[in-house]
Amino acid sequence: MRDRIQAVLRQLVQTPELEARWLHTVSLMEFIGARKISRTVADRHPSLEVLGHLADETRHAFAFKRLSAEVAGAEITTFLCHEAAGRYFQALDHALATWATSFTGAPDVYLHYLLTTTAIERRAMVLYPLYKAASRHPAVREELGRVVTEEQSHRRSIEDACVERLTAVGASLEDALALEERLFEAFIGELEATVARELAAFVPARGDDAAARTGAVK
């Protein structure tokens, strides 16, 4: 999986158009995460920990959207594979809630929050460093470094609390992470196909422009 993620990221950063749309999709995913927090464990004035997490996710959504505009040269409204990204997030949230409830016997909103957060941030700790290595934009690499640091600042405490609750009901975090792996693999498959299709359409267009310029010189 890591090799597939690395390969598709290296492909999509080849053109500013694709990278800007990818950044916009990443912003959307961070926004979905922030919205989930605000509608569940932060529907009323939350703890410092939850409020800090909500603030981080909201800032990340803003930062990636700002970077998408910077890479594109202006604010954009298009995304790269955003429907698949939305399906991944929603399916993960639902699957983890259903899985956890099979152990607890009743919905536990806080456990569902801990589970989804742990799975998403485990994934971010793979995705974001690989993207940082692939991107050619200094501002993107700098921001990704900040995001990883912020994610790490609260990931450990959230994951520890998640494991503690799961252990109490006889459940394993590794089983939950296996669910996430399958769902993320489906998203990566759609991203790979979309990027390949977009690049195939983009290269001839560049070739046509070059041919036109050559013809003009003649």
Side-chain angles (χ1 to χ4, degrees):
M1 174 72 80
R2 183 184 178 88
D3 289 345
R4 289 178 64 187
I5 296 170
Q6 184 178 59
V8 75
L9 289 173
R10 286 176 174 175
Q11 289 178 322
L12 69 84
V13 300
Q14 291 178 23
T15 67
E17 292 91 337
L18 284 184
E19 185 168 8
R21 288 163 56 197
W22 167 247
L23 282 162
H24 205 206
T25 297
V26 175
S27 171
L28 175 65
M29 294 176 75
E30 293 280 357
F31 172 72
I32 292 172
R35 188 174 57 187
K36 285 284 186 184
I37 295 170
S38 67
R39 290 180 175 179
T40 55
V41 290
D43 61 334
R44 290 179 174 79
H45 199 211
S47 65
L48 280 171
E49 179 184 27
V50 171
L51 195 58
H53 187 201
L54 175 60
D56 281 348
E57 299 306 298
T58 303
R59 192 197 75 75
H60 299 166
F62 171 78
F64 287 126
K65 190 174 183 73
R66 176 181 53 78
L67 285 169
S68 75
E70 184 175 330
V71 172
E75 185 172 349
I76 62 174
T77 58
T78 56
F79 299 88
L80 187 65
C81 227
H82 73 289
E83 291 182 353
R87 283 196 299 272
Y88 157 73
F89 205 114
Q90 299 298 343
L92 178 64
D93 191 48
H94 177 73
L96 290 178
T98 301
W99 176 82
T101 302
S102 72
F103 289 93
T104 58
D108 183 336
V109 173
Y110 189 64
L111 175 57
H112 299 169
Y113 157 73
L114 293 174
L115 263 176
T116 301
T117 298
T118 296
I120 290 290
E121 293 190 354
R122 279 279 194 105
R123 179 57 58 194
M125 290 302 103
V126 175
L127 180 67
Y128 288 168
L130 289 176
Y131 180 28
K132 181 182 177 184
S135 181
R136 303 169 187 175
H137 293 274
V140 173
R141 294 197 298 270
E142 182 179 348
E143 184 59 47
L144 284 164
R146 274 196 294 267
V147 169
V148 167
T149 298
E150 290 172 1
E151 296 284 15
Q152 288 174 331
S153 70
H154 54 244
R155 184 179 73 87
R156 188 72 261 172
S157 60
I158 289 175
E159 187 168 320
D160 287 347
C162 182
V163 169
E164 182 178 353
R165 283 183 174 239
L166 290 176
T167 301
V169 296
S172 167
L173 176 60
E174 295 310 310
D175 291 339
L177 295 178
L179 282 174
E180 187 279 335
E181 181 85 1
R182 290 195 294 273
L183 292 170
F184 192 76
E185 185 174 15
F187 167 62
I188 283 296
E190 294 197 50
L191 182 63
E192 288 169 332
T194 299
V195 169
R197 185 170 60 250
E198 296 271 357
L199 286 176
F202 185 75
V203 171
R206 280 287 177 88
D208 291 345
D209 290 344
R213 286 194 299 271
T214 301
V217 171
K218 290 180 180 178

